[in-house]
Structures are given as structure tokens and as C-alpha cells.
Amino acid sequence: MNPRTDGRGRVCPRAAFVVAAALVAGGCAWDGPMSTVVARSDLNRSILHVYGIITWATLIIGLVVFTVLAVVLLRFRALPGDTTLPTQIRGHTAMEIGWTIAPALILLVIAIPTIQVIFRTQSAAAPRNALEVSVRGWQWWWEFRYPKLDVVTANELHLPLNRPVVFAMEGPDVIHSFWVPQLGGKRDVVPGRLNRITLTPEHAGEYWGQCAEFCGASHANMQLRVIVEEPAAFDRWVAAQKAPPPEPAGDAVQGKDVFARNACVGCHTIRGVSAGTLGPDLTHFGGRALFGAGLWPTNPENVAAWVKDPPALKPGAKMPNLHLSDADARAVAAYLVGLK
Ligand code: CUA
């Protein structure tokens, strides 16, 4: 779009304003993937309830304040030639009491539901049938462990519909923040400290999340996806995760060999092949739709480009450039993508 000029080559301020307003408004979406006003869990419904109370309270306070301000401006404005001061009020006991009590009441109205929601969502005792998920934030990816199910995955979290889930969060390196806006508020993942969120997903679907605490060069590239599905579909996913990785065929045979001979094994686990713990578990890497913490679709071209030179694609990436040949990178990609 080209804002209209005034004939002398200068941008017309009104046209520029309209274009800017259209761009700003275009960035707003009620139901975008990172919308905080779409509640898809009990936790988010509670948060939205408090949010509603605070919004209404603020709106009413704003209306009262601006009405009083308008009346004062109009009624008591200085008239030309008028030099007398309006009546000055000092030490008006009723007014003093009024404007002390009114804010206290407003704070009370906001505090009671807020504290109730905080206690409800922070309670240490989880519901008995709750699914446990341990969340670890790494620079710059997410590790998800299901301790009772003996399943480990990365960046893509599967949850059964309508079953409470307890996230237990801790971090091995720096502070991150786990945030899936449509499922609940963000909570920090802090080294040496265990934080929890308990929630029940109430709608099947795919939800986006993002690290919400600045954690270094690729903070913005630390995304996650949550797939909420029917319990039967979740059980099938768990069974697939527990199965051993498929044996490679074709190009992938050489890929497995390259993987096993190189430093890959020091950081990654592929069950039956390696047992590294510094990078994502790759046992079922090919079954995840995206890789690199939500950055690229998992396909042979993208994965080959990634293993060739990770820091070039993701600033600060801890996975080094191993100087693999193009053929080796393609073979490793074929192997990894085949690990469904
Ligand atoms: Cu992790 Cu920001």
C-alpha cells in the first residue's frame, strides 16, 4: 500500500494514520492461536472470569472518573475576566472517608476471586486420576516426560480430553516460562524449583504455546504444540511412543550408521541406539509434525538442512555443526524422518 502524497512528495498525515490504524487493527484477532480470551480448559475459564471482573471494574471506574472530570472542566472552567477562586475545601471528613473506603471495596471485589483462583490452581494435591507430565525447559526446546507411562517426547505434547493433568516444571539451565494461552496462564520454569499447573483440557484440538520468559538468543524460537485428543486416540499415541523405533530401510540404513558413529549419540536418545540426555529424545522424531521447537515441518529436506548446520538456522543452537557431508546429512534426515 502506498499512502497518498500531498502532491509535493510528502506523505499526507491523515492517509498515513488510516494505513497505520488498519495495520494495527489487522494484527488483532479474537480467536488467533495465541489468543488469551479463548478458554479451552477449566483453568483458563477461571482466569477469564477474574479477567472479566477486573475489566468491568476498570470500565466503571473509568466512566465515573471521566464523567466527574468532564463536569469539573465544564462547570468550573475560568471565564474571561473572572479572577475569583472557586470555594476551597480542606479537611472534608466525609469525602476523606469516602475516597478511602471506595478503593478498598474495589480492591476487595478484585482480590477475593483472584485469591480463590490462585489457590484453586496452585493446590499441591492433584486430583487422583490426574495425568502427570514433567515439563523441562531447555535452551531452546521443551522436554515432556510422562513418568507413569514411561514416555518421553519433545515440543509436542499430547493430552487426553477431559482428564486433569498436572504439569510439574523445572529447568536444567536458565529460567523459561511455559505458556499455552488457550489452556492456561503462564508459569515460570525455574532451575532448582518445582512449579506446578493443574488443569483439565475441555476441547479437543491443537494449541500453540511459547516460552514467555526471555532465555537467550532463540527465546522467540522456543515454541510448543499441545494436541488434545479423545482418550482412545491418546492411548494409541502412548502405545506408539512405547513401541521400539522402526528399523531403517534404504538410505536410512546409512543414516543410522552416521548417527551412531558421530557425536549425535552423546546428546540424543534413540532407544536401542543411544542414550544421550542433553537434546530431545529422537526415538519417535518422525512422528512429530514439526521440529526445532515448532519451527519447521518435519520432512527430509528441512531435517537435512538442520543437521548440516543447526546454529545457522537457529541462533545460539546448542547442537553444533558436525560438518557432515551433504550425502551424510541426507541419510541422517532419511533415518530420523522414518522414526515414526
Ligand atoms: Cu525459553 Cu524463553
Side-chain angles (χ1 to χ4, degrees):
M1 212 183 298
N2 203 355
R4 234 186 299 164
T5 57
D6 61 0
R8 283 168 290 180
R10 286 186 306 203
V11 174
C12 165
R14 205 157 33 156
F17 175 77
V18 171
V19 171
L23 287 175
V24 169
C28 302
W30 187 263
D31 58 352
M34 298 296 284
S35 171
T36 51
V37 291
V38 174
R40 293 289 182 247
S41 73
D42 60 336
L43 170 61
N44 221 14
R45 270 194 294 114
S46 309
I47 293 171
L48 267 188
H49 173 66
V50 175
Y51 184 64
I53 292 172
I54 294 173
T55 306
W56 281 110
T58 319
L59 203 69
I60 293 167
I61 294 166
L63 274 177
V64 170
V65 168
F66 283 105
T67 308
V68 171
L69 183 65
V71 169
V72 168
L73 286 177
L74 292 174
R75 261 193 74 183
F76 300 104
R77 71 185 187 280
L79 297 170
D82 185 359
T83 53
T84 54
L85 277 177
T87 322
Q88 302 294 297
I89 302 170
R90 278 197 188 85
H92 193 296
T93 313
M95 282 174 103
E96 298 278 357
I97 292 174
W99 63 51
T100 305
I101 289 181
L105 284 177
I106 293 166
L107 289 181
L108 208 63
V109 165
I110 292 173
I112 291 172
T114 306
I115 292 169
Q116 278 176 335
V117 167
I118 289 174
F119 275 86
R120 195 169 346 132
T121 58
Q122 292 270 22
S123 62
R128 210 176 309 154
N129 65 332
L131 176 71
E132 272 177 47
V133 179
S134 131
V135 176
R136 305 189 85 199
W138 293 78
Q139 284 176 316
W140 287 276
W141 59 281
W142 297 98
E143 180 180 286
F144 302 118
R145 290 177 177 270
Y146 300 68
K148 297 247 171 83
L149 301 175
D150 197 22
V151 165
V152 185
T153 188
N155 303 321
E156 282 188 18
L157 178 66
H158 285 246
L159 297 176
L161 183 62
N162 290 329
R163 179 171 166 193
V165 50
V166 183
F167 296 108
M169 315 177 190
E170 53 163 345
D173 45 41
V174 301
I175 300 179
H176 304 271
S177 185
F178 180 75
W179 186 39
V180 185
Q182 300 192 0
L183 294 184
K186 50 177 90 98
R187 193 142 301 161
D188 281 3
V189 181
V190 183
R193 186 192 158 90
L194 195 66
N195 278 345
R196 288 173 194 276
I197 293 184
T198 303
L199 60 84
T200 306
E202 296 178 324
H203 296 261
E206 195 186 303
Y207 303 103
W208 278 90
Q210 164 73 45
C211 177
E213 178 73 44
F214 181 70
C215 55
S218 266
H219 157 68
N221 298 324
M222 190 167 167
Q223 305 166 17
L224 68 135
R225 284 195 321 145
V226 181
I227 292 121
V228 175
E229 55 202 354
E230 295 293 336
F234 175 75
D235 291 344
R236 282 197 297 277
W237 177 80
V238 170
Q241 297 300 302
K242 291 170 85 80
E247 270 310 309
D251 268 1
V253 177
Q254 191 209 332
K256 181 179 178 181
D257 184 50
V258 174
F259 179 91
R261 275 191 290 109
N262 277 282
C264 320
V265 293
C267 293
H268 295 283
T269 290
I270 292 180
R271 249 179 290 142
V273 181
S274 62
T277 53
L278 292 176
D281 185 304
L282 302 176
T283 305
H284 293 287
F285 172 83
R288 307 200 275 262
L290 303 174
F291 75 98
L295 290 186
W296 307 285
T298 308
N299 62 42
E301 299 75 47
N302 290 344
V303 177
W306 167 253
V307 297
K308 192 96 175 81
D309 191 0
L313 297 183
K314 188 168 176 176
K318 305 284 179 193
M319 179 165 150
N321 182 339
L322 296 178
H323 301 286
L324 296 179
S325 68
D326 284 346
D328 281 356
R330 275 198 303 274
V332 169
Y335 170 53
L336 295 179
V337 171
L339 297 174
K340 303 280 187 198

